Amino acid sequence: MFQRTRPTPGRYLAIAAVLCVFLFQAATARGVREPAPGILLVASERMGDPRFNRSVVLLIEHDHSGTWGVIINKPTQIDVSELVPAIEPGGGVPVYFGGPVRVEHLRFLYRDDDADSDRAGLPGVVWSESGEELKERLAGNPSRLRVYAGYAGWAPGQLTLEIAHGGWRMIEGRPGNVFSDDPDRLWQRLNSALDGVEI
């Protein structure tokens, strides 16, 4: 007679590891690649975290220590002049909700076609946290600037699991997406592109 034995804790870990590999391979088979700077994460309909509902995230750093990026399609009603001293009130530059981590901290992306660095993973797009540089950019051409309160962050391996479970889809980023004139429709437009639908 067959006797059922109880799996050991080590066996449970081995089963979990195999399942994670299987899920990631299944996601890769659907065209999903490894996350990297400059990639856009597009929240799927299966996204369980309400903070990322219908979000598009630009990945800025991804390495062995973890991953971080900013949500690029959620402008708020707050003008940057309300948060930064010595900025002319009513400058017309909205602060974007960049993610749930350190929302009290501002960082920004700016477009500089002559920049030597692509510190955001995209040609001509640079990120910074310098308050003085932010003031200089605001005084220059604010249309080439996006200011974010907070960011989105993942521990090592966490994002890979979320992708494997279908929470995120990935697509190549472009500067035009980051500086879109219509951020409210960006999520729908990218999802349509991933589905092969023209809109």
Side-chain angles (χ1 to χ4, degrees), residues 146-162:
R146 289 291 185 273
V147 181
Y148 304 92
Y151 66 94
W154 293 267
Q158 181 184 358
L159 178 58
T160 300
L161 276 177
E162 290 183 14

PDB file of all heavy atoms in Angstrom, residues 146-162:
ATOM      1  N   ARG A 146      10.419  66.539 -15.995  1.00  0.00           N
ATOM      2  CA  ARG A 146       9.367  65.849 -15.247  1.00  0.00           C
ATOM      3  C   ARG A 146       9.853  65.680 -13.811  1.00  0.00           C
ATOM      4  O   ARG A 146      10.929  65.153 -13.571  1.00  0.00           O
ATOM      5  CB  ARG A 146       9.056  64.471 -15.843  1.00  0.00           C
ATOM      6  CG  ARG A 146       8.342  64.506 -17.184  1.00  0.00           C
ATOM      7  CD  ARG A 146       6.913  65.011 -17.064  1.00  0.00           C
ATOM      8  NE  ARG A 146       6.206  64.928 -18.332  1.00  0.00           N
ATOM      9  CZ  ARG A 146       6.212  65.869 -19.273  1.00  0.00           C
ATOM     10  NH1 ARG A 146       6.926  66.982 -19.077  1.00  0.00           N
ATOM     11  NH2 ARG A 146       5.526  65.710 -20.383  1.00  0.00           N
ATOM     12  N   VAL A 147       9.029  66.152 -12.871  1.00  0.00           N
ATOM     13  CA  VAL A 147       9.386  66.119 -11.456  1.00  0.00           C
ATOM     14  C   VAL A 147       8.507  65.077 -10.758  1.00  0.00           C
ATOM     15  O   VAL A 147       7.288  65.047 -10.956  1.00  0.00           O
ATOM     16  CB  VAL A 147       9.193  67.502 -10.804  1.00  0.00           C
ATOM     17  CG1 VAL A 147       9.597  67.463  -9.329  1.00  0.00           C
ATOM     18  CG2 VAL A 147       9.991  68.565 -11.552  1.00  0.00           C
ATOM     19  N   TYR A 148       9.137  64.230  -9.934  1.00  0.00           N
ATOM     20  CA  TYR A 148       8.436  63.122  -9.299  1.00  0.00           C
ATOM     21  C   TYR A 148       8.585  63.167  -7.782  1.00  0.00           C
ATOM     22  O   TYR A 148       9.683  63.395  -7.274  1.00  0.00           O
ATOM     23  CB  TYR A 148       8.990  61.773  -9.802  1.00  0.00           C
ATOM     24  CG  TYR A 148       8.925  61.625 -11.289  1.00  0.00           C
ATOM     25  CD1 TYR A 148      10.014  62.010 -12.081  1.00  0.00           C
ATOM     26  CD2 TYR A 148       7.791  61.127 -11.920  1.00  0.00           C
ATOM     27  CE1 TYR A 148       9.967  61.898 -13.458  1.00  0.00           C
ATOM     28  CE2 TYR A 148       7.739  61.005 -13.301  1.00  0.00           C
ATOM     29  CZ  TYR A 148       8.828  61.395 -14.059  1.00  0.00           C
ATOM     30  OH  TYR A 148       8.775  61.292 -15.425  1.00  0.00           O
ATOM     31  N   ALA A 149       7.491  62.925  -7.090  1.00  0.00           N
ATOM     32  CA  ALA A 149       7.523  62.729  -5.639  1.00  0.00           C
ATOM     33  C   ALA A 149       7.463  61.229  -5.390  1.00  0.00           C
ATOM     34  O   ALA A 149       6.476  60.572  -5.735  1.00  0.00           O
ATOM     35  CB  ALA A 149       6.347  63.426  -4.976  1.00  0.00           C
ATOM     36  N   GLY A 150       8.534  60.687  -4.817  1.00  0.00           N
ATOM     37  CA  GLY A 150       8.596  59.258  -4.545  1.00  0.00           C
ATOM     38  C   GLY A 150       9.094  58.456  -5.735  1.00  0.00           C
ATOM     39  O   GLY A 150       9.297  58.983  -6.829  1.00  0.00           O
ATOM     40  N   TYR A 151       9.288  57.174  -5.490  1.00  0.00           N
ATOM     41  CA  TYR A 151       9.720  56.269  -6.553  1.00  0.00           C
ATOM     42  C   TYR A 151       9.208  54.869  -6.254  1.00  0.00           C
ATOM     43  O   TYR A 151       8.691  54.590  -5.158  1.00  0.00           O
ATOM     44  CB  TYR A 151      11.248  56.281  -6.710  1.00  0.00           C
ATOM     45  CG  TYR A 151      12.024  55.722  -5.539  1.00  0.00           C
ATOM     46  CD1 TYR A 151      12.425  54.381  -5.519  1.00  0.00           C
ATOM     47  CD2 TYR A 151      12.382  56.526  -4.459  1.00  0.00           C
ATOM     48  CE1 TYR A 151      13.153  53.863  -4.454  1.00  0.00           C
ATOM     49  CE2 TYR A 151      13.098  56.013  -3.395  1.00  0.00           C
ATOM     50  CZ  TYR A 151      13.482  54.690  -3.394  1.00  0.00           C
ATOM     51  OH  TYR A 151      14.192  54.170  -2.340  1.00  0.00           O
ATOM     52  N   ALA A 152       9.355  53.978  -7.216  1.00  0.00           N
ATOM     53  CA  ALA A 152       8.971  52.576  -7.054  1.00  0.00           C
ATOM     54  C   ALA A 152      10.245  51.749  -6.896  1.00  0.00           C
ATOM     55  O   ALA A 152      11.177  51.912  -7.688  1.00  0.00           O
ATOM     56  CB  ALA A 152       8.177  52.096  -8.270  1.00  0.00           C
ATOM     57  N   GLY A 153      10.289  50.905  -5.900  1.00  0.00           N
ATOM     58  CA  GLY A 153      11.494  50.117  -5.648  1.00  0.00           C
ATOM     59  C   GLY A 153      11.180  48.653  -5.395  1.00  0.00           C
ATOM     60  O   GLY A 153      10.108  48.321  -4.871  1.00  0.00           O
ATOM     61  N   TRP A 154      12.120  47.779  -5.777  1.00  0.00           N
ATOM     62  CA  TRP A 154      11.972  46.340  -5.594  1.00  0.00           C
ATOM     63  C   TRP A 154      13.263  45.762  -5.025  1.00  0.00           C
ATOM     64  O   TRP A 154      14.354  46.149  -5.441  1.00  0.00           O
ATOM     65  CB  TRP A 154      11.670  45.642  -6.922  1.00  0.00           C
ATOM     66  CG  TRP A 154      10.348  45.969  -7.527  1.00  0.00           C
ATOM     67  CD1 TRP A 154       9.171  45.275  -7.369  1.00  0.00           C
ATOM     68  CD2 TRP A 154      10.040  47.065  -8.393  1.00  0.00           C
ATOM     69  NE1 TRP A 154       8.167  45.871  -8.092  1.00  0.00           N
ATOM     70  CE2 TRP A 154       8.666  46.983  -8.733  1.00  0.00           C
ATOM     71  CE3 TRP A 154      10.790  48.128  -8.931  1.00  0.00           C
ATOM     72  CZ2 TRP A 154       8.042  47.892  -9.566  1.00  0.00           C
ATOM     73  CZ3 TRP A 154      10.174  49.040  -9.751  1.00  0.00           C
ATOM     74  CH2 TRP A 154       8.808  48.922 -10.066  1.00  0.00           C
ATOM     75  N   ALA A 155      13.132  44.805  -4.125  1.00  0.00           N
ATOM     76  CA  ALA A 155      14.284  44.073  -3.605  1.00  0.00           C
ATOM     77  C   ALA A 155      14.808  43.133  -4.682  1.00  0.00           C
ATOM     78  O   ALA A 155      14.106  42.849  -5.668  1.00  0.00           O
ATOM     79  CB  ALA A 155      13.873  43.289  -2.366  1.00  0.00           C
ATOM     80  N   PRO A 156      16.050  42.634  -4.540  1.00  0.00           N
ATOM     81  CA  PRO A 156      16.587  41.710  -5.538  1.00  0.00           C
ATOM     82  C   PRO A 156      15.645  40.531  -5.790  1.00  0.00           C
ATOM     83  O   PRO A 156      15.194  39.878  -4.852  1.00  0.00           O
ATOM     84  CB  PRO A 156      17.906  41.240  -4.912  1.00  0.00           C
ATOM     85  CG  PRO A 156      18.313  42.361  -4.019  1.00  0.00           C
ATOM     86  CD  PRO A 156      17.031  42.924  -3.473  1.00  0.00           C
ATOM     87  N   GLY A 157      15.333  40.287  -7.046  1.00  0.00           N
ATOM     88  CA  GLY A 157      14.479  39.164  -7.425  1.00  0.00           C
ATOM     89  C   GLY A 157      12.991  39.424  -7.333  1.00  0.00           C
ATOM     90  O   GLY A 157      12.183  38.690  -7.914  1.00  0.00           O
ATOM     91  N   GLN A 158      12.576  40.476  -6.625  1.00  0.00           N
ATOM     92  CA  GLN A 158      11.152  40.726  -6.409  1.00  0.00           C
ATOM     93  C   GLN A 158      10.427  41.068  -7.707  1.00  0.00           C
ATOM     94  O   GLN A 158       9.349  40.531  -7.995  1.00  0.00           O
ATOM     95  CB  GLN A 158      10.970  41.854  -5.390  1.00  0.00           C
ATOM     96  CG  GLN A 158       9.513  42.174  -5.076  1.00  0.00           C
ATOM     97  CD  GLN A 158       9.366  43.363  -4.137  1.00  0.00           C
ATOM     98  OE1 GLN A 158      10.357  43.950  -3.683  1.00  0.00           O
ATOM     99  NE2 GLN A 158       8.132  43.725  -3.845  1.00  0.00           N
ATOM    100  N   LEU A 159      11.010  41.955  -8.505  1.00  0.00           N
ATOM    101  CA  LEU A 159      10.354  42.361  -9.744  1.00  0.00           C
ATOM    102  C   LEU A 159      10.237  41.184 -10.718  1.00  0.00           C
ATOM    103  O   LEU A 159       9.219  41.022 -11.392  1.00  0.00           O
ATOM    104  CB  LEU A 159      11.102  43.522 -10.391  1.00  0.00           C
ATOM    105  CG  LEU A 159      10.528  44.010 -11.732  1.00  0.00           C
ATOM    106  CD1 LEU A 159       9.080  44.454 -11.578  1.00  0.00           C
ATOM    107  CD2 LEU A 159      11.380  45.144 -12.290  1.00  0.00           C
ATOM    108  N   THR A 160      11.276  40.356 -10.786  1.00  0.00           N
ATOM    109  CA  THR A 160      11.240  39.192 -11.676  1.00  0.00           C
ATOM    110  C   THR A 160      10.062  38.287 -11.342  1.00  0.00           C
ATOM    111  O   THR A 160       9.362  37.790 -12.228  1.00  0.00           O
ATOM    112  CB  THR A 160      12.557  38.395 -11.573  1.00  0.00           C
ATOM    113  OG1 THR A 160      13.640  39.251 -11.943  1.00  0.00           O
ATOM    114  CG2 THR A 160      12.542  37.197 -12.499  1.00  0.00           C
ATOM    115  N   LEU A 161       9.802  38.106 -10.050  1.00  0.00           N
ATOM    116  CA  LEU A 161       8.660  37.288  -9.632  1.00  0.00           C
ATOM    117  C   LEU A 161       7.341  37.947 -10.018  1.00  0.00           C
ATOM    118  O   LEU A 161       6.416  37.275 -10.483  1.00  0.00           O
ATOM    119  CB  LEU A 161       8.694  37.057  -8.122  1.00  0.00           C
ATOM    120  CG  LEU A 161       9.556  35.901  -7.625  1.00  0.00           C
ATOM    121  CD1 LEU A 161       9.547  35.865  -6.099  1.00  0.00           C
ATOM    122  CD2 LEU A 161       9.067  34.579  -8.174  1.00  0.00           C
ATOM    123  N   GLU A 162       7.235  39.260  -9.829  1.00  0.00           N
ATOM    124  CA  GLU A 162       5.997  39.966 -10.176  1.00  0.00           C
ATOM    125  C   GLU A 162       5.718  39.860 -11.678  1.00  0.00           C
ATOM    126  O   GLU A 162       4.568  39.709 -12.097  1.00  0.00           O
ATOM    127  CB  GLU A 162       6.084  41.433  -9.741  1.00  0.00           C
ATOM    128  CG  GLU A 162       6.061  41.613  -8.230  1.00  0.00           C
ATOM    129  CD  GLU A 162       6.068  43.074  -7.809  1.00  0.00           C
ATOM    130  OE1 GLU A 162       5.822  43.951  -8.661  1.00  0.00           O
ATOM    131  OE2 GLU A 162       6.307  43.342  -6.624  1.00  0.00           O
TER     132      GLU A 162
END
